[in-house]
């Protein structure tokens, strides 16, 4: 046996083969160890200055490694999938909304069908993790929150829930772990968001959100309260055609002209009253007010303000929008690699019923003092009078 081994090892060719094989196994082991080590290293390793990787996210050090590039490619596939929407059917109504409601959107179903991360992404934690939201669109109903959310989802550093979780008003007893599970997975440097417009008028919501995190950034999309009330009624009418007229619901007494503030469509528009409640828990600098009217007339301008507020680079600009003359509001241009524009669904753009001018004027008179107080509180005149 010793003689056979000596003969084998005495051959120069065979000896070289053995050495090469050993070196190859050592190299494979070192590569495997390096990949595993790099995936768990703190992101501060490197020269310490911040740069942008291929997906536009902030990374530490002067260059992105192979794992980072794979993560960026996976994220781009997610964004491409979310941006692929059908053009809604043509509508010809005159008065239209760029609005939100509580109806499920098809993007929520698309959110649930995100591709599974690759083996390398899973190995390097490239699939991200679920986090509680750092920013929430808290209102208002029929103000334009759906449009704002869909526009923001173009940004590579924003990951948002498509449907409205209603956690801080209806599902709070389910607990924060339940809430976190609803969130999409995010990578380092990305912001998790959700929107539920009813939070703004829910008395318990400010305290509950503050208990989750006092650093949560809040966004409120506001709109002329008279137009907002009519839009609110229009949505309800589309579901319940037999409800009373707008006029009969607006007044407690039609003769005296006393407004019925118990009707939710009226109450929501008293923005100053609801804001008072939020300011008990959050400073004004943590709340951004977006104009629903400007979201239609200048979407890129309003989105610029939102991106600044969230501490993000202004990636969403004029080049992302076109004005849809038929629907009467802006839509996103086609997504990268897709020929399909992204407009809001068929529930957006309902025709408003004709309301008697005297009723509209009485509502404007009713809201005027509340609007003035709201302008003073926010330091911004929204021009509703």
């Amino acid at each position: 046996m010793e003689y056979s081994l000596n003969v084998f090892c005495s051959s120069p060719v065979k000896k070289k083969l053995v050495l090469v094989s050993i070196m190859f196994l050592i190299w494979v082991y070192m590569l495997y160890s390096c990949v595993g080590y790099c995936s768990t290293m703190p992101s501060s390793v490197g020269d310490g200055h911040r740069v942008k990787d291929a997906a536009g996210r902030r990374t530490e050090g002067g260059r992105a490694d192979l794992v980072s590039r794979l993560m960026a490619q996976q994220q781009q596939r997610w964004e491409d999938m979310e941006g692929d929407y059908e053009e809604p059917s043509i509508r010809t109504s005159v008065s239209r909304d760029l609005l939100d409601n509580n109806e499920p959107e098809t993007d929520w179903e698309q959110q649930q069908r995100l591709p599974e991360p690759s083996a390398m992404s899973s190995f390097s934690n490239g699939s991200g993790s679920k986090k509680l939201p750092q920013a929430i669109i808290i209102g208002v109903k029929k103000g334009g929150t759906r449009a704002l959310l869909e526009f923001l989802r173009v940004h590579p550093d924003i990951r948002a829930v498509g449907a409205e979780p209603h956690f801080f008003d209806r599902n709070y007893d389910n607990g924060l772990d339940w809430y976190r599970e609803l969130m999409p997975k995010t990578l380092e440097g990305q912001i998790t968001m959700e929107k539920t417009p009813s939070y703004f008028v829910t008395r318990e919501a400010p305290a509950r959100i503050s208990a989750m995190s006092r650093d949560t950034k809040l966004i409120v999309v506001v709109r002329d309260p008279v137009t907002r009330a009519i839009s609110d009624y229009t949505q309800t009418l589309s579901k319940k055609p037999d409800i009373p007229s707008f006029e009969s619901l607006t007044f407690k007494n039609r003769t005296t002209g006393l407004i019925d503030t118990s009707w939710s469509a009226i109450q929501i528009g008293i923005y100053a009253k609801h804001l008072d409640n939020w300011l008990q828990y959050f400073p004004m600098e943590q709340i951004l007010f977006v104009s629903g009217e400007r979201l239609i007339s200048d979407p890129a301008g309003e989105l610029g303000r939102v991106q600044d507020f969230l501490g993000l680079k202004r990636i969403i600009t004029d080049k992302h929008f076109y004005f849809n003359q038929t629907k009467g509001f802006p839509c996103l241009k086609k997504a990268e690699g897709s020929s399909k524009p992204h407009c809001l669904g068929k529930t957006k753009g309902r025709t408003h019923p004709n309301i008697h001018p005297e009723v509209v004027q009485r509502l404007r008179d009713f809201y005027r003092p509340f609007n003035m107080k709201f302008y003073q509180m926010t330091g911004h005149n929204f021009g509703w009078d």
Side-chain angles (χ1 to χ4, degrees):
M1 187 68 180
E2 291 179 345
Y3 173 76
S4 300
L5 183 60
N6 290 335
V7 170
F8 175 79
C9 293
S10 64
S11 171
V13 175
K14 292 181 178 179
K15 186 180 296 184
K16 288 181 180 180
L17 288 174
V18 171
L19 291 174
V20 169
S21 299
I22 293 173
M23 291 176 64
F24 177 77
L25 290 173
I26 294 174
W27 180 81
V28 171
Y29 176 78
M30 291 177 64
L31 178 63
Y32 177 84
S33 301
C34 180
V35 171
Y37 175 71
C38 290
S39 67
T40 57
M41 284 178 65
S43 59
S44 59
V45 175
D47 61 9
H49 65 276
R50 303 184 73 87
V51 298
K52 291 282 185 175
D53 66 8
R57 295 181 298 277
R58 293 179 293 274
T59 59
E60 301 289 343
R63 63 183 183 184
D65 59 11
L66 173 62
V67 175
S68 297
R69 290 196 294 271
L70 290 173
M71 290 160 58
Q73 292 171 2
Q74 180 69 35
Q75 175 64 15
Q76 185 59 51
R77 286 196 293 271
W78 288 348
E79 298 300 331
D80 290 344
M81 184 177 182
E82 289 187 333
D84 189 13
Y85 288 85
E86 294 287 344
E87 173 73 7
S89 58
I90 295 177
R91 298 171 64 89
T92 57
S93 55
V94 177
S95 178
R96 303 180 182 283
D97 300 334
L98 170 60
L99 299 171
D100 60 283
N101 53 39
N102 296 331
E103 299 168 0
E105 297 286 337
T106 56
D107 55 20
W108 169 243
E109 296 175 355
Q110 293 187 10
Q111 181 79 12
Q112 300 307 301
R113 295 197 298 270
L114 288 177
E116 291 296 324
S118 65
M120 178 60 78
S121 297
S122 298
F123 179 75
S124 63
N125 287 329
S127 56
S129 59
K130 295 186 177 185
K131 301 180 180 68
L132 292 170
Q134 297 93 42
I136 304 177
I137 301 174
I138 60 173
V140 297
K141 181 184 179 185
K142 311 312 297 177
T145 61
R146 171 58 59 184
L148 178 61
L149 183 73
E150 294 306 314
F151 294 164
L152 282 173
R153 292 176 81 181
V154 172
H155 202 293
D157 286 344
I158 293 177
R159 298 288 293 158
V161 182
E164 296 171 5
H166 284 280
F167 176 67
F168 295 104
D169 55 354
R170 302 177 189 171
N171 299 305
Y172 193 66
D173 290 341
N174 289 337
L176 286 174
D177 289 339
W178 177 89
Y179 184 46
R180 184 187 289 108
E181 279 302 306
L182 299 179
M183 300 299 123
K185 290 183 177 181
T186 54
L187 302 175
E188 186 66 29
Q190 289 183 316
I191 293 176
T192 303
M193 288 188 68
E194 71 115 316
K195 77 103 175 174
T196 304
S198 53
Y199 290 162
F200 188 63
V201 297
T202 300
R203 186 157 189 84
E204 299 82 8
R208 290 171 174 177
I209 295 178
S210 177
M212 177 186 73
S213 173
R214 294 181 180 179
D215 296 325
T216 306
K217 293 187 175 183
L218 309 172
I219 301 174
V220 189
V221 188
V222 289
R223 181 190 189 192
D224 182 334
V226 177
T227 310
R228 197 222 65 83
I230 297 172
S231 177
D232 200 335
Y233 173 80
T234 303
Q235 175 178 299
T236 305
L237 185 65
S238 70
K239 300 176 182 179
K240 302 176 181 178
D242 57 343
I243 62 172
S245 68
F246 180 84
E247 289 85 349
S248 62
L249 292 170
T250 297
F251 299 104
K252 283 185 177 180
N253 187 307
R254 185 69 175 84
T255 304
T256 61
L258 185 63
I259 303 295
D260 188 357
T261 57
S262 65
W263 184 28
S264 63
I266 299 296
Q267 187 188 75
I268 290 173
I270 308 176
Y271 302 140
K273 171 188 173 183
H274 305 302
L275 181 56
D276 266 334
N277 188 33
W278 286 90
L279 293 179
Q280 305 303 313
Y281 299 90
F282 291 93
M284 187 66 80
E285 55 265 26
Q286 270 180 247
I287 308 175
L288 179 70
F289 298 90
V290 175
S291 167
E293 287 82 11
R294 281 181 55 82
L295 201 57
I296 297 175
S297 63
D298 182 20
E302 287 300 281
L303 266 292
R305 294 179 58 240
V306 177
Q307 291 170 94
D308 291 346
F309 175 69
L310 296 175
L312 299 175
K313 181 179 179 180
R314 286 197 177 195
I315 291 178
I316 308 171
T317 61
D318 280 319
K319 67 181 182 181
H320 289 92
F321 300 98
Y322 75 96
F323 191 83
N324 187 309
Q325 296 290 345
T326 302
K327 293 183 73 68
F329 52 74
C331 300
L332 290 170
K333 291 182 180 178
K334 62 182 180 181
E336 195 73 25
S338 172
S339 60
K340 299 173 183 177
H342 175 180
C343 275
L344 299 184
K346 61 183 179 181
T347 61
K348 314 304 177 184
R350 296 186 179 100
T351 303
H352 284 184
N354 292 322
I355 308 298
H356 195 283
E358 181 187 351
V359 176
V360 174
Q361 187 56 51
R362 291 210 178 182
L363 276 176
R364 295 209 175 281
D365 294 340
F366 166 77
Y367 279 120
R368 186 169 294 109
F370 297 110
N371 290 344
M372 294 301 107
K373 182 180 179 182
F374 185 65
Y375 296 167
Q376 292 175 355
M377 295 172 75
T378 61
H380 183 77
N381 186 332
F382 290 89
W384 296 326
D385 296 292

